[in-house]
Amino acid sequence: MTQPTGSGKYQISLQAKVFLIFVILLLIVLGAFTVFVNWVVVKPLKDRTVHEKLEAAAKVSDQIDFYIESQNQLSQRILSSKDTFSILEQGYRSDLIYDRFHQRRRLKDIMFQAIGPSMNIKDMAIYDRDGSLFVSYLDAGNYPPSLRSFLDKSRSSGRWTGNGFILARQGNAISFIRSINNQNGKIFGYLSVQLDQTYFQSLTEGVAAGEIYVLDEQGDSISGSIPGADKAVFRKPSDGNGVYADKHQNYVAYSRSDSTGWTTYLVTPKQSVLGPVDSVKYISILLITSLMLFSFVYIYLSTRNILLPIRKLRSQIWRINYSNMNVKMDNRPQNNELVLLNEAFQDMMERLQQSIEREKVALHEEVKARNSALQAQIAPHFIHNVLYLISIAAQEGKNRVVSEMCKHLSDSLRYIVSSPYAHVTLADELEHTKHYLSLVQQNYEEDLEWEIETDEFSRQIQLPRLVIQPFVENCVEHAFANTDPPWRIKITVKQFNGLWAVEIKDNGSGFPPDKIREILHNLRTSDADEPESRNQTAAIGNMGIVNSVNRLKLMYKNRLFFNIFNHSGGEQGATVQIIGSLAKDFY
């Protein structure tokens, strides 16, 4: 989705930018939705669930308080009977078994009247003021025979001074103990009510997912199993009620009773407390994730479809070149703006194609005219030289020579004037060169030797007319001026790897070094569209080398190479090289 720029750096594509903008907007919306769900749905649901657990613990604590209060009322009913005080007072003064039996029976009747038909305690007992067991309601034998050690320990620790009541553990039972005293504060004995553990257990059952533990002020278990290593570790509450999470990932809701000092703990696994909350959270996350994935795919496909016409338009623009202007566009509608852009671009391409076609026709006509002008510069010069040679031969009375020269001149003229705008093959150009050399040799006879090496490949090479002869004529008129005969001219045609080469080699005196530099410089800096100016600056003899090379450039453009150099290593003369490519896409 990134593309390299001209400086080598990478730039984000338009599709990527649009996609990122939509993604950022989507993330903002989804983030706001997530915050909304968390604060409006998840957090209130979590708070409500925790509050329900706290209420459950408080409810159990209230039920226990109600149960303890009922035992307090039971004890008050027993203490409200004056017979209780008199019976206990009489018991201290009598040691007769009968009297004690009668006193115990009367106390049981008082306890029966106080308890009533519905008994929700395990047993009840009365101790004398010394703490010795006096009578029990059911005579189950589960009561300790004396409270003396308990009373001494309670007074020394300051837990209970004997006034009011106290809840204490006696063996495996929980007892409600209070003093039996009159209005003056005189103690006659102690009342002990054994609470029903089964009733306690019933209060802690049926509570929503969790376990109930009731601990006294010392941390001893009143109800529920004693927590072990695998259970929650209870904190001593610093306030009336609250909720905390322990190290075992449990939520512990607690409620402390002000009347009893007992603390009720509701231990619930965290998963049970936050299960509904997590369900809502996970469903929200799943919906948000699904929405994000769907939105990403939709945004990607949408941006791709929106920008597809622009990409196609860009690819079409990159494929446009001089020879392929009439490109085909995909006109399937994507959206109105892009369709209008597509139509405008197509209309521009059609008008541009028409202008280029007109320009090509005009350029072709101009090239034909310039080529004809260049060729016209060569033909009169050639005819003038040949006629001059024929006149010399006629003056010397060489009739056979004159006849042969006229025949060669006739063939050359036919070659020059026939189809002046058409290109010829290299073989045709070499045949014309043979006629020219045959005419020249009539003047130099044995002093001039020439050779042309070619093959059938020369018939595949296209050239303008009269481009080889000027180089040969330059050798004849200028190369041999300061050289003793025999004078040799050799023309060789070569081809390899799609390239063709023509070499024109002589054994004359060669070019002056400054003249070679001048010619090559003018060829590099000249423009084939201005032949007249070049002919004036780079002419050699009567026929310009630059003229011929520029005619080749009109045809081969950048597929032509030209070189000229003097021989080295003791060899005399110079060589002209013309190299071209048959491949049109050669660079």
Side-chain angles (χ1 to χ4, degrees):
M1 301 176 73
T2 59
Q3 297 177 350
T5 60
S7 60
K9 298 180 180 179
Y10 282 85
Q11 184 179 10
I12 299 178
S13 64
L14 180 58
Q15 180 182 355
K17 290 181 179 179
V18 175
F19 180 77
L20 288 177
I21 291 173
F22 277 105
V23 168
I24 291 173
L25 293 176
L26 176 63
L27 291 177
I28 293 174
V29 173
L30 293 179
F33 177 73
T34 303
V35 173
F36 173 80
V37 171
N38 185 66
W39 284 95
V40 177
V41 179
V42 176
K43 189 176 184 299
L45 181 59
K46 179 180 178 181
D47 294 341
R48 186 179 67 183
T49 304
V50 172
H51 182 68
E52 289 176 353
K53 298 300 178 182
L54 186 59
E55 285 184 342
K59 181 179 180 181
V60 174
S61 179
D62 291 342
Q63 290 177 344
I64 293 175
D65 288 347
F66 179 78
Y67 178 63
I68 299 300
E69 180 61 25
S70 67
Q71 307 315 312
N72 185 32
Q73 293 176 3
L74 172 63
S75 67
Q76 291 290 345
R77 287 194 295 270
I78 293 175
L79 268 62
S80 65
S81 175
K82 296 182 179 180
D83 292 340
T84 303
F85 301 102
S86 62
I87 292 171
L88 290 175
E89 184 67 26
Q90 292 173 6
Y92 301 143
R93 295 194 297 266
S94 176
D95 292 331
L96 297 177
I97 297 175
Y98 173 77
D99 290 339
R100 284 191 172 271
F101 177 78
H102 181 70
Q103 291 168 357
R104 290 189 184 98
R105 188 174 185 85
R106 288 180 63 188
L107 287 175
K108 286 186 177 181
D109 290 340
I110 293 173
M111 288 188 286
F112 176 77
Q113 292 175 4
I115 294 173
S118 59
M119 182 177 176
N120 58 358
I121 61 174
K122 188 175 182 181
D123 201 356
M124 181 184 295
I126 295 178
Y127 292 83
D128 61 20
R129 61 176 167 229
D130 295 328
S132 299
L133 180 63
F134 191 84
V135 63
S136 65
Y137 180 66
L138 297 178
D139 293 328
N142 294 326
Y143 276 101
S146 176
L147 291 178
R148 184 173 298 277
S149 61
F150 168 75
L151 294 175
D152 295 339
K153 185 177 180 181
S154 298
R155 290 190 181 97
S156 62
S157 63
R159 289 183 56 199
W160 186 51
T161 60
N163 294 321
F165 67 89
I166 186 173
L167 297 171
R169 178 178 292 278
Q170 292 180 323
N172 294 327
I174 304 297
S175 298
F176 175 93
I177 302 173
R178 73 172 304 149
S179 61
I180 303 174
N181 57 338
N182 58 15
Q183 295 178 352
N184 297 324
K186 181 181 178 180
I187 297 176
F188 293 90
Y190 298 94
L191 175 64
S192 176
V193 180
Q194 282 190 356
L195 305 181
D196 189 359
Q197 291 289 114
T198 304
Y199 184 80
F200 273 118
Q201 195 68 30
S202 66
L203 295 179
T204 61
E205 292 177 353
V207 181
E211 298 181 1
I212 291 289
Y213 298 94
V214 181
L215 275 63
D216 60 14
E217 292 178 329
Q218 286 71 40
D220 296 328
S221 176
I222 302 300
S223 177
S225 60
I226 300 298
D230 59 340
K231 298 293 185 179
V233 177
F234 299 127
R235 297 179 185 175
K236 189 173 183 179
S238 58
D239 51 0
N241 50 45
V243 179
Y244 66 90
D246 65 6
K247 63 181 181 180
H248 299 288
Q249 297 299 314
N250 296 318
Y251 269 89
V252 181
Y254 62 89
S255 178
R256 186 176 182 274
S257 172
D258 294 331
S259 60
T260 63
W262 292 356
T263 305
T264 302
Y265 294 91
L266 172 58
V267 182
T268 308
K270 186 176 182 180
Q271 183 61 32
S272 299
V273 176
L274 299 181
V277 178
D278 292 338
S279 298
V280 174
K281 184 191 302 182
Y282 295 149
I283 291 174
S284 301
I285 293 175
L286 180 61
L287 290 176
I288 292 173
T289 304
S290 302
L291 179 61
M292 289 181 64
L293 293 177
F294 174 77
S295 300
F296 286 160
V297 175
Y298 178 77
I299 291 172
Y300 175 77
L301 295 177
S302 299
T303 53
R304 183 180 179 183
N305 291 334
I306 290 174
L307 300 177
L308 183 60
I310 296 180
R311 288 186 172 182
K312 289 184 177 180
L313 187 61
R314 176 178 174 273
S315 64
Q316 295 291 348
I317 293 174
W318 277 106
R319 289 202 299 268
I320 293 173
N321 54 46
Y322 186 79
S323 60
N324 182 28
M325 300 298 294
N326 192 19
V327 294
K328 297 295 184 180
M329 304 298 295
D330 186 4
N331 291 322
R332 291 177 298 177
Q334 302 292 333
N335 56 56
N336 293 338
E337 291 76 9
L338 296 178
V339 170
L340 293 175
L341 177 63
N342 188 8
E343 292 177 353
F345 179 77
Q346 182 66 25
D347 181 67
M348 180 191 72
M349 293 301 300
E350 292 177 355
R351 289 184 279 109
L352 185 60
Q353 180 69 32
Q354 294 174 359
S355 299
I356 291 177
E357 291 296 333
R358 290 194 297 267
E359 183 67 20
K360 288 169 64 176
V361 172
L363 181 61
H364 179 70
E365 296 296 331
E366 181 182 358
V367 170
K368 287 172 60 176
R370 291 182 179 179
N371 188 50
S372 298
L374 292 172
Q375 182 173 327
Q377 293 177 11
I378 296 174
H381 177 81
F382 167 74
I383 296 173
H384 170 77
N385 291 341
V386 172
L387 290 177
Y388 176 74
L389 294 175
I390 292 176
S391 66
I392 293 176
Q395 291 175 4
E396 295 177 354
K398 299 178 181 179
N399 295 331
R400 186 181 62 81
V401 173
V402 171
S403 175
E404 291 178 359
M405 292 179 67
C406 289
K407 180 179 181 301
H408 288 301
L409 177 59
S410 174
D411 293 336
S412 295
L413 290 175
R414 185 181 300 109
Y415 176 76
I416 292 173
V417 301
S418 61
S419 301
Y421 305 118
H423 293 153
V424 296
T425 64
L426 178 57
D428 296 333
E429 185 67 11
L430 293 177
E431 185 66 24
H432 170 70
T433 304
K434 290 179 183 180
H435 291 304
Y436 170 77
L437 288 173
S438 298
L439 290 170
V440 172
Q441 193 173 25
Q442 298 298 329
N443 183 34
Y444 296 98
E445 297 181 348
E446 289 82 4
D447 292 339
L448 178 64
E449 299 177 359
W450 55 272
E451 179 183 3
I452 298 178
E453 292 184 0
T454 184
D455 54 20
E456 291 297 323
F457 179 75
S458 62
R459 298 189 180 277
Q460 302 177 16
I461 303 172
Q462 295 288 322
L463 296 174
R465 292 177 184 270
L466 303 177
V467 293
I468 303 298
Q469 177 201 326
F471 298 103
V472 177
E473 187 176 356
N474 186 75
C475 295
V476 173
E477 294 189 2
H478 303 284
F480 305 136
N482 301 317
T483 304
D484 296 330
W487 303 311
R488 298 183 182 89
I489 298 176
K490 183 177 181 180
I491 302 174
T492 306
V493 178
K494 302 177 182 178
Q495 63 90 16
F496 48 90
N497 295 331
L499 298 177
W500 57 268
V502 177
E503 289 187 352
I504 304 170
K505 182 178 181 182
D506 63 66
N507 64 342
S509 57
F511 293 94
D514 57 344
K515 180 59 68 174
I516 293 179
R517 287 192 297 270
E518 179 185 354
I519 294 172
L520 295 179
H521 173 74
N522 289 333
L523 287 175
R524 285 193 299 267
T525 59
S526 62
D527 186 355
D529 294 336
E530 299 178 0
E532 293 82 1
S533 62
R534 288 192 303 274
N535 288 341
Q536 295 174 0
T537 60
I540 300 179
N542 296 327
M543 198 54 49
I545 292 179
V546 178
N547 187 317
S548 298
V549 174
N550 283 334
R551 294 179 64 207
L552 288 168
K553 285 184 176 181
L554 288 174
M555 178 175 179
Y556 280 90
K557 301 294 181 183
N558 58 340
R559 296 183 290 130
L560 184 76
F561 301 90
F562 176 81
N563 192 21
I564 182 171
F565 58 89
N566 291 326
H567 299 157
S568 59
E571 184 180 1
Q572 291 184 339
T575 297
V576 173
Q577 288 182 333
I578 303 173
I579 303 173
S581 172
L582 294 176
K584 292 185 178 181
D585 57 351
F586 180 80
Y587 292 95

